[in-house]
Amino acid sequence: MSVTNAVAWHTDIIEAFRANEIRLIAHVADSVLAPIIRRMEQDSFFRVVTLTREEEGVGLVTGAYLAGTRGALLLQSSGFGNTINALGSLALPYQIPFVMLLSERGSFMEHNVVQIAGGAAVPKVLDALGIQEFPLRRADEVSFVALQGARHAFVARRPVALTITTQLSGGKSGR
């Protein structure tokens, strides 16, 4: 993956959020997501909030939506498990739409054995919860998939997951 492609797909995600009027960005720190978060922090369109735990983000973006602001939750797929109760007892039954931007862990090119079991479970748990996943695999597809995947959340009135695959991000270096 070239640096040019990395910058382009980061921009494509940001522009997809902007086009869908997603202004509140709640996140748990992650090196794959960091360049996107930094750019959003510098852009007055977005209100960026750092979380201590992933499930806080479900409550935050849910409350924001009820107050008229669209939101997104940015996290590693390994932290997704922390959101299940909040999703199942709040966002899903009350049909609160938002985007979860997940950086993939435990899959192709994973260097940390403790990430593998949880990473393998994420697509199955998303499916069990009825949350559609839209994988971002190739830089030339990110603009379309991110734009339409985010739009789908607000049409369907449900959370969706946009997953930054390791094929797109290059994964964790393990250093």
Side-chain angles (χ1 to χ4, degrees), residues 87-151:
L87 288 166
S89 63
L90 180 61
L92 293 170
Y94 294 102
Q95 298 179 306
I96 306 297
F98 60 90
V99 175
M100 289 182 287
L101 182 63
L102 305 175
S103 66
E104 186 177 52
R105 292 302 307 266
S107 187
F108 183 68
M109 300 184 338
E110 181 60 58
H111 71 278
N112 187 343
V113 69
V114 303
Q115 296 288 344
I116 294 172
V122 170
K124 296 171 186 135
V125 174
L126 287 167
D127 186 54
L129 291 170
I131 296 174
Q132 288 186 275
E133 179 183 23
F134 301 100
L136 305 174
R137 291 189 177 98
R138 294 183 12 202
D140 65 336
E141 298 173 341
V142 170
S143 178
F144 179 74
V145 175
L147 178 69
Q148 296 305 321
R151 182 169 291 147

Side-chain angles (χ1 to χ4, degrees), residues 29-33 76 78 103-106 108-112 115 166 169-175:
D30 172 59
S31 63
V32 170
L33 298 168
Q76 282 188 15
S78 57
S103 66
E104 186 177 52
R105 292 302 307 266
F108 183 68
M109 300 184 338
E110 181 60 58
H111 71 278
N112 187 343
Q115 296 288 344
T166 54
S169 72
K172 305 283 183 177
S173 67
R175 288 181 231 153

Side-chain angles (χ1 to χ4, degrees), residues 149-169:
R151 182 169 291 147
H152 187 76
F154 302 103
V155 169
R157 296 191 55 189
R158 296 180 64 78
V160 300
L162 299 177
T163 303
I164 300 171
T165 65
T166 54
Q167 290 92 335
L168 177 63
S169 72

